[in-house]
Amino acid sequence: FNSAAGGPVDSIYTGTTAGSVLGQFRAYGTGAGVTAESVFRTVLDGGSITSANFQWLLNNSEQMRLTSTGLGIGTSSPSTRLHVVSSSRSVATIESTDDGALNGPYLDLFRNSATPAANDYLGFLQFSGRNTTGVAVDYAWIGRKPPK
């Protein structure tokens, strides 16, 4: 399919090898001397449709990838349900624009267990990184067990 301006906005491909693009939606435009392109495509990780993943690209640079493992932002191989990688200091922001004095940003770590026990951890924040020798170190954590 082509847009009114003549640029492709949609493509269908077939392939059976790893890395094959199965289909994509591509939209781009030019204005004020700038060309912008946005692509959403399905790509095979292996030789089977069951190993396909979804990729979001902006100006030919991958921004996100959804695999059977999870959503990767800044990484093409997420290792958890949500895996964010960034070389900048600011990785995530939770912002509230509500004017109420008691309505600041809220982050809820909700544990939903079918068999809760008195010693279950309800959730925790872990502060970790690599030391000067490259070894992963857990430096601190904030956690809460339920009251007994």
Side-chain angles (χ1 to χ4, degrees), residues 23-77:
Q24 71 180 19
F25 175 79
R26 178 175 175 240
Y28 66 90
T30 304
V34 177
T35 299
E37 178 181 54
S38 180
V39 177
F40 170 76
R41 67 183 176 197
T42 306
V43 178
L44 285 180
D45 277 341
S48 165
I49 190 65
T50 59
S51 64
N53 62 65
F54 298 99
Q55 300 172 353
W56 289 263
L57 293 88
L58 182 60
N59 292 328
N60 209 30
S61 175
E62 185 172 318
Q63 304 298 307
M64 292 189 299
R65 182 180 294 212
L66 181 62
T67 70
S68 60
T69 302
L71 176 65
I73 300 174
T75 178
S76 60
S77 54

